Coordinates of all heavy atoms in Angstrom, one line a residue:
L211 N 22.8 -8.7 34.5 CA 22.9 -8.6 36.0 C 22.6 -7.2 36.4 O 23.3 -6.2 36.0 CB 24.2 -9.0 36.4 CG 24.5 -8.8 37.9 CD1 23.6 -9.6 38.7 CD2 25.9 -9.2 38.3
T212 N 21.6 -7.0 37.0 CA 21.2 -5.6 37.6 C 20.9 -6.0 39.1 O 20.7 -7.0 39.5 CB 20.0 -5.0 37.0 OG1 18.9 -5.6 37.3 CG2 20.2 -4.8 35.4
K213 N 20.8 -4.8 39.9 CA 20.5 -5.0 41.2 C 19.1 -5.7 41.5 O 19.0 -6.4 42.4 CB 20.4 -3.6 41.9 CG 20.2 -3.6 43.5 CD 20.2 -2.2 44.0 CE 19.9 -2.3 45.6 NZ 20.0 -0.9 46.1
D214 N 18.1 -5.5 40.7 CA 16.8 -6.0 40.9 C 16.5 -7.2 40.0 O 15.4 -7.8 40.2 CB 15.9 -4.9 40.7 CG 16.1 -3.7 41.6 OD1 16.4 -4.0 42.8 OD2 15.9 -2.6 41.2
N215 N 17.3 -7.5 39.0 CA 16.9 -8.6 38.1 C 18.1 -9.4 37.7 O 19.0 -8.9 36.9 CB 16.1 -8.0 36.8 CG 15.5 -9.1 36.0 OD1 15.5 -10.3 36.2 ND2 14.7 -8.6 35.0
Y216 N 18.0 -10.7 38.0 CA 19.1 -11.6 37.6 C 18.5 -12.9 37.7 O 17.5 -13.2 38.3 CB 20.3 -11.5 38.5 CG 19.9 -11.4 40.1 CD1 19.9 -12.7 40.8 CD2 19.7 -10.3 40.7 CE1 19.6 -12.7 42.1 CE2 19.3 -10.3 42.0 CZ 19.3 -11.4 42.7 OH 18.9 -11.4 44.1
G217 N 19.2 -13.9 37.1 CA 18.7 -15.3 36.9 C 19.7 -16.3 37.2 O 20.9 -16.0 37.5
R218 N 19.3 -17.6 37.3 CA 20.2 -18.7 37.5 C 19.9 -19.8 36.6 O 18.7 -20.2 36.4 CB 20.2 -19.2 38.9 CG 20.7 -18.2 39.9 CD 20.3 -18.5 41.4 NE 21.3 -19.6 41.8 CZ 21.0 -20.3 42.9 NH1 20.0 -19.9 43.7 NH2 21.9 -21.2 43.3
D219 N 20.8 -20.4 36.0 CA 20.6 -21.5 34.9 C 20.5 -22.9 35.6 O 20.7 -23.0 36.7 CB 21.6 -21.5 33.8 CG 21.3 -22.0 32.5 OD1 20.2 -22.6 32.5 OD2 22.1 -21.9 31.6
H220 N 20.1 -23.8 34.7 CA 20.1 -25.2 35.3 C 21.5 -25.7 35.7 O 22.5 -25.4 35.0 CB 19.6 -26.1 34.2 CG 18.3 -25.8 33.5 ND1 17.7 -26.3 32.5 CD2 17.3 -24.9 34.0 CE1 16.5 -25.8 32.2 NE2 16.1 -24.9 33.2
H221 N 21.5 -26.5 36.7 CA 22.9 -27.1 37.1 C 22.6 -28.3 37.9 O 22.2 -28.5 39.0 CB 23.4 -26.0 38.3 CG 24.8 -26.5 38.6 ND1 25.8 -26.5 37.9 CD2 25.2 -26.8 39.8 CE1 27.0 -26.9 38.5 NE2 26.6 -27.0 39.8
P222 N 23.1 -29.4 37.1 CA 22.8 -30.7 37.6 C 23.9 -31.4 38.5 O 23.8 -32.4 38.9 CB 22.6 -31.7 36.4 CG 23.6 -30.9 35.4 CD 23.4 -29.4 35.6
R223 N 25.0 -30.6 38.5 CA 26.2 -31.2 39.2 C 26.2 -31.2 40.7 O 26.9 -32.0 41.4 CB 27.5 -30.5 38.7 CG 27.6 -30.5 37.2 CD 28.8 -29.7 36.8 NE 30.1 -30.3 37.4 CZ 30.9 -31.2 36.7 NH1 30.4 -31.7 35.5 NH2 31.9 -31.7 37.2
C224 N 25.4 -30.3 41.4 CA 25.4 -30.2 42.8 C 24.2 -29.5 43.3 O 23.9 -28.4 43.1 CB 26.6 -29.4 43.2 SG 26.7 -29.3 45.0
F225 N 23.2 -30.5 43.8 CA 22.0 -29.8 44.3 C 21.5 -30.8 45.4 O 22.0 -31.8 45.6 CB 20.9 -29.6 43.4 CG 20.5 -30.8 42.7 CD1 19.3 -31.4 43.0 CD2 21.2 -31.4 41.5 CE1 18.8 -32.6 42.2 CE2 20.8 -32.5 40.8 CZ 19.6 -33.1 41.2
T226 N 20.5 -30.3 46.2 CA 20.0 -31.0 47.4 C 18.6 -31.6 47.2 O 17.8 -31.0 46.6 CB 20.1 -30.1 48.6 OG1 21.5 -29.6 48.7 CG2 19.7 -30.8 49.8
M227 N 18.4 -32.8 47.7 CA 17.1 -33.3 48.0 C 17.1 -33.8 49.4 O 18.0 -34.0 50.0 CB 16.8 -34.5 47.0 CG 16.9 -34.1 45.6 SD 16.6 -35.6 44.4 CE 14.8 -36.0 44.8
W228 N 15.8 -33.9 49.9 CA 15.7 -34.4 51.3 C 14.5 -35.6 51.3 O 13.6 -35.5 50.6 CB 15.5 -33.4 52.3 CG 14.4 -32.5 52.2 CD1 14.4 -31.2 51.7 CD2 13.0 -32.7 52.8 NE1 13.1 -30.6 51.9 CE2 12.3 -31.5 52.5 CE3 12.4 -33.7 53.3 CZ2 11.0 -31.3 52.8 CZ3 11.1 -33.6 53.7 CH2 10.4 -32.5 53.5
L229 N 14.9 -36.5 52.3 CA 13.9 -37.5 52.6 C 13.5 -37.4 54.1 O 14.3 -37.1 54.9 CB 14.6 -38.8 52.2 CG 14.6 -39.2 50.7 CD1 15.8 -38.5 50.1 CD2 14.9 -40.7 50.6
A230 N 12.3 -37.9 54.4 CA 11.9 -38.0 55.8 C 10.9 -39.1 55.9 O 10.2 -39.6 55.0 CB 11.3 -36.7 56.1
G231 N 10.6 -39.5 57.1 CA 9.6 -40.6 57.4 C 10.1 -42.0 57.1 O 11.4 -42.1 57.3
G232 N 9.2 -42.9 56.7 CA 9.4 -44.2 56.4 C 10.8 -44.8 56.4 O 11.4 -45.1 55.3
G233 N 11.5 -44.9 57.4 CA 12.8 -45.5 57.5 C 14.0 -44.7 57.4 O 15.1 -45.2 57.3
V234 N 13.8 -43.4 57.2 CA 14.9 -42.5 57.0 C 15.5 -42.0 58.3 O 14.7 -41.7 59.3 CB 14.4 -41.3 56.2 CG1 15.7 -40.3 56.0 CG2 14.0 -41.7 54.8
K235 N 16.8 -42.0 58.4 CA 17.4 -41.6 59.7 C 17.4 -40.0 59.8 O 17.7 -39.3 58.9 CB 19.0 -41.9 59.7 CG 19.6 -41.7 61.1 CD 21.0 -42.3 60.9 CE 21.8 -42.1 62.3 NZ 23.0 -42.7 62.3
P236 N 16.8 -39.4 60.8 CA 16.6 -38.0 60.9 C 17.8 -37.3 61.4 O 18.7 -37.9 61.8 CB 15.5 -37.9 62.1 CG 15.7 -39.1 62.9 CD 16.1 -40.2 61.9
G237 N 17.8 -36.0 61.0 CA 18.9 -35.1 61.3 C 20.2 -35.3 60.7 O 21.3 -35.0 61.3
L238 N 20.3 -36.0 59.6 CA 21.5 -36.3 59.0 C 21.6 -35.6 57.6 O 20.8 -35.6 56.8 CB 21.5 -37.9 58.7 CG 22.7 -38.5 58.0 CD1 23.9 -38.5 59.0 CD2 22.5 -40.0 57.7
T239 N 22.9 -35.2 57.3 CA 23.3 -34.6 56.1 C 24.3 -35.5 55.4 O 25.3 -35.9 55.9 CB 23.7 -33.2 56.1 OG1 22.8 -32.4 56.8 CG2 24.2 -32.7 54.8
V240 N 24.0 -36.0 54.2 CA 25.0 -36.8 53.5 C 25.5 -35.9 52.2 O 24.7 -35.6 51.4 CB 24.3 -38.1 53.0 CG1 25.3 -38.9 52.0 CG2 23.8 -39.0 54.0
G241 N 26.8 -35.9 52.1 CA 27.3 -35.2 50.9 C 27.8 -33.7 51.3 O 27.2 -33.1 52.3
Q242 N 28.8 -33.2 50.5 CA 29.2 -31.8 50.8 C 29.7 -31.4 49.5 O 30.2 -32.1 48.5 CB 30.4 -31.8 51.8 CG 30.8 -30.5 52.2 CD 31.8 -30.5 53.4 OE1 31.6 -31.3 54.2 NE2 32.8 -29.8 53.2
S243 N 29.5 -30.0 49.3 CA 30.0 -29.5 48.0 C 31.3 -28.7 48.2 O 31.8 -28.7 49.4 CB 28.9 -28.5 47.6 OG 28.9 -27.3 48.4

Side-chain angles (χ1 to χ4, degrees):
L211 174 60
T212 68
K213 182 179 180 180
D214 300 318
N215 194 353
Y216 48 91
R218 298 168 71 191
D219 204 352
H220 302 167
H221 185 64
R223 299 178 67 87
C224 182
F225 63 100
T226 300
M227 298 179 68
W228 60 261
L229 287 73
V234 176
K235 190 174 183 177
L238 179 70
T239 299
V240 176
Q242 186 170 323
S243 70

